[in-house]
Every structure is written in structure tokens, then in C-alpha cells.
Amino acid sequence: MASEATAVPGRAAGVTKAEAAVPPTRPGVVAAAVYQDGQRLRDIEIEEAGQWRGRENVVIWIGLHEPDKALLRQVQAEFDLHDLAIEDAGKAHQRPKLEIYGDAIFVVARTAHMADDQIAFGETHLFVGRGYIVSVRHGASTSYMAVRQRCESSPAALAHGENYILYSILDFIVDNYMPVVETIHVEVEELEDKLLRDRLDKADIERLYLLRRNLLRLRNAVVPLVDVCRRHEHLELPGMDVAMQPLFRDVTDHVRRVQEDIDALREVLAFTFEASLMIGQSEQTEISRKLASWAAILAVPTAIAGIYGMNFDDMPELRFRYGYFVVLAIIVGLCVTLYRFFRRARWL
């Protein structure tokens, strides 16, 4: 019977099954593992990361979620990360960007997903250097365990190291934008259909405004990411693998498509809002015309009755036997004439 110290096939010599199955237990650490030639060797503690750094064909992948300052400082010590990058990683609400610190890069990306019919935004900070990648998640962000599992299922691709992991994470972030855009697209179509069928009420106008505000926030997260992804298409970044250029170009195309969809939806919402205002103004104008028409019609009997109600002795047709009927006929005739005039003018 094999002992527990028997090496696991496909892993580095001296790595046991028990060691490879040890999950990280420190708060803030989601996962921390070492890979060689695309194969997972073992889970490690943060304190061990420096021992694996720099080995041939080895990459360290550490995932953190809202780490405290002590944990970030320990990660900094293991990978010689820049102070400014660590300071940014400890704070949320950073603008998406890419910064170069020596032979390492620091990437900030905004994440988004739907939660209770609202867009939940989060942030991901990525430290990428030769032989390692550290992801730091803040706020409402989808776990990257699915990305890790997908990468581990493709050892040949994962053998490209930190560049492929960086591509996979950015691609995952951009892909998660699409369900958000599609959900908003459905709501926008519903508002358009309702506008064409009837009219938008106060609740619809408020929802329209919220959608425009959410799209603006989403656009602010997506647009800077276009430049971040585009810069990965070129080789001036430290440690960039030429084989990864087509993959990063594909991510750039995806994020640009998301930006175009967002811009199109914002325009549709703007047109919907303007159309709602124009329809409301048209209805108000129509009501005003009807009121003005009826006011003009009613002004005729009011004026004539007012004149004959002044009780003067010398009034036209006052002592004429059929004077009352003549006045009524004049009133009716004038009112019918005005009514027909306003009907032809489509005011009534």
C-alpha cells in the first residue's frame, strides 16, 4: 500500500497528496496555489510564495478577497510589490487602469453583475509579474474559482503562465458585462413598447432615469478597460508573451462591443425620454385647444346673455313678440358655426 508521502503523478517531486489538498485557511485568502507547466502542484500559504518564485516554468496564483493591510503587506514582501500599488489595492473605488512598476504591472478593473434587478459593482486589482499573479477583489464581485477551474482544465494553455491567467480573468470580467447589458436591453424594449402603446407614467420615467444612470456608471467602468486591454496587445509590457496577443485582442474586441451596446442603449433611452416629453406636450396642446374652442363657443351665449341681463329699457328686440326666440336662434347659430369651424380645424 502506498504511503501518504508517495508523490502525486504529474506533480513536482516531494509534493504529497496531503500537501496538494491543503486549502488556505487565512481570512482574506480565497485560493493560493503553485502551477508548473500548466499542472497544479499544490496549495500553499502566503508565507511560502517567496520560496516558489523564480523557479523554471512555475507560476504562483493567489486570489484574495478584501484583504486587510497586514495580508497585503505580507504579499508585498513575498513578491517585492511597489508601495503605491499596494496602497491602491487596499482601497476600493479606483478607476480602471494599467500601471507599470519595474518588471511588474498593476491592473485595476471594475466588475458588474445583476443583483435584485440592480447592477452590483465591484473591483478587481491584479498584480502580475514573472512567475506570479495576485488578484484582489473588492465589493460585489463574482468569484474567480470558475476561472481557476477552467484554466486548470486546459494545462497546455495554462502553461503560458501568468499572461494566460491575466487574459482569463479579464475575459471573465468582460463576459460578465454582457448579461447586465442584455437585462437592461430587455427593460429598454419594454419601455419603448409601452411608450408606443400608451404613455409612460411617473414610475416608468423614474425607471428610465435609473437605467440611464446605471448605464453611465457601467460605461465609466467599461470605457477605461478598453485602453487596458488594448495595451496588452503590444509587447512593451513586461513579460508579455507574443502568443497571447491574439487572445488579448479578442478581449479588446469584446469590451468595445460592450461599449457600443451601452452607447446605443443610452441613445435609445434618451430618445424614449424625449419622445415621452413630446407626447406629453402634444397631449397638453390638444387639451389646451379643446378648452380654448369650448371657451370660445361658450363665450357667445355668455356675452349675449350678459348684455340682455343689464335691464336697460332700450334694448334691441326687447318688446318684439318673437325677440326671445330670435336671440336664442342667433346664439344657437353662432355656437354651431364656431363648433363646425373648430371641428374643421381639428381642435375638437
Side-chain angles (χ1 to χ4, degrees):
M1 182 179 296
S3 65
E4 287 293 338
T6 302
V8 179
R11 295 189 171 91
V15 179
T16 66
K17 291 181 180 180
E19 289 174 334
V22 176
T25 57
R26 184 168 180 176
V29 180
V30 178
V34 175
Y35 301 85
Q36 186 174 36
D37 295 324
Q39 297 287 343
R40 186 186 184 109
L41 298 182
R42 53 166 290 191
D43 293 324
I44 62 172
E45 299 293 340
I46 301 300
E47 296 83 356
E48 305 176 67
Q51 304 172 12
W52 293 89
R53 184 184 175 193
R55 297 191 185 186
E56 187 70 19
N57 298 327
V58 169
V59 61
I60 306 165
W61 185 357
I62 297 176
L64 308 177
H65 181 251
E66 298 184 351
D68 55 24
K69 292 183 178 180
L71 180 55
L72 282 177
R73 290 300 176 186
Q74 188 168 16
V75 171
Q76 178 186 19
E78 295 295 327
F79 298 107
D80 297 327
L81 303 178
H82 199 277
D83 290 336
L84 293 178
I86 289 295
E87 183 180 352
D88 287 344
K91 301 176 182 178
H93 308 295
Q94 296 288 331
R95 179 180 174 83
K97 60 182 179 180
L98 186 153
E99 295 179 344
I100 301 175
Y101 295 99
D103 59 350
I105 62 174
F106 176 64
V107 177
V108 177
R110 298 292 303 278
T111 61
H113 67 275
M114 296 303 300
D116 299 329
D117 297 329
Q118 297 292 332
I119 303 179
F121 291 93
E123 286 185 30
T124 295
H125 302 171
L126 299 167
F127 299 92
V128 186
R130 188 170 299 278
Y132 70 87
I133 181 168
V134 179
S135 64
V136 182
R137 292 190 294 119
H138 289 279
S141 176
T142 305
S143 174
Y144 297 145
M145 292 304 297
V147 180
R148 188 181 292 267
Q149 293 171 0
R150 187 169 66 241
C151 290
E152 292 177 354
S153 65
S154 303
L158 187 55
H160 289 281
E162 63 277 1
N163 288 321
Y164 182 77
I165 298 174
L166 174 61
Y167 152 75
S168 299
I169 293 177
L170 291 178
D171 185 59
F172 182 76
I173 292 173
V174 174
D175 286 345
N176 280 340
Y177 290 148
M178 295 306 298
V180 176
V181 175
E182 291 173 358
T183 301
I184 296 178
H185 186 269
V186 171
E187 291 195 53
V188 170
E189 287 187 340
E190 291 177 353
L191 288 175
E192 280 188 299
D193 293 340
K194 186 172 182 180
L195 177 64
L196 296 175
R197 290 194 313 266
D198 187 12
R199 59 173 298 178
L200 302 182
D201 54 25
K202 181 180 179 182
D204 295 326
I205 297 297
E206 291 176 354
R207 184 57 183 166
L208 189 150
Y209 173 77
L210 290 176
L211 287 175
R212 290 195 65 187
R213 186 180 66 178
N214 287 337
L215 281 174
L216 178 60
R217 295 177 62 192
L218 185 60
R219 189 179 188 279
N220 291 338
V222 170
V223 172
L225 197 59
V226 174
D227 181 65
V228 172
C229 296
R230 183 183 56 80
R231 291 181 64 183
H232 282 94
E233 299 177 25
H234 308 286
L235 296 178
E236 70 268 11
L237 294 180
M240 182 53 60
D241 187 353
V242 64
M244 292 290 101
Q245 284 184 298
L247 297 180
F248 283 110
R249 190 177 301 116
D250 183 65
V251 177
T252 304
D253 291 339
H254 288 175
V255 73
R256 282 176 175 165
R257 190 182 313 148
V258 172
Q259 178 187 353
E260 292 173 358
D261 291 342
I262 292 173
D263 291 339
L265 287 175
R266 293 185 72 236
E267 289 184 7
V268 171
L269 286 175
F271 292 152
T272 303
F273 183 72
E274 292 175 0
S276 177
L277 289 179
M278 293 176 64
I279 291 174
Q281 292 175 354
S282 176
E283 291 178 349
Q284 291 179 357
T285 301
E286 185 177 354
I287 293 173
S288 299
R289 287 178 176 179
K290 289 182 179 180
L291 292 177
S293 300
W294 285 113
I297 293 173
L298 294 176
V300 173
T302 302
I304 295 176
I307 293 173
Y308 277 89
M310 292 186 295
N311 296 323
F312 291 118
D313 289 334
D314 297 327
M315 297 291 292
E317 311 297 340
L318 187 62
R319 290 178 174 80
F320 180 57
R321 181 177 179 181
Y322 301 104
Y324 176 74
F325 301 100
V326 171
V327 172
L328 286 181
I330 293 174
I331 292 176
V332 172
L334 289 175
C335 290
V336 170
T337 302
L338 288 174
Y339 178 80
R340 294 180 63 183
F341 171 78
F342 288 125
R343 287 285 292 181
R344 284 198 301 269
R346 296 184 179 180
W347 282 36
L348 288 176

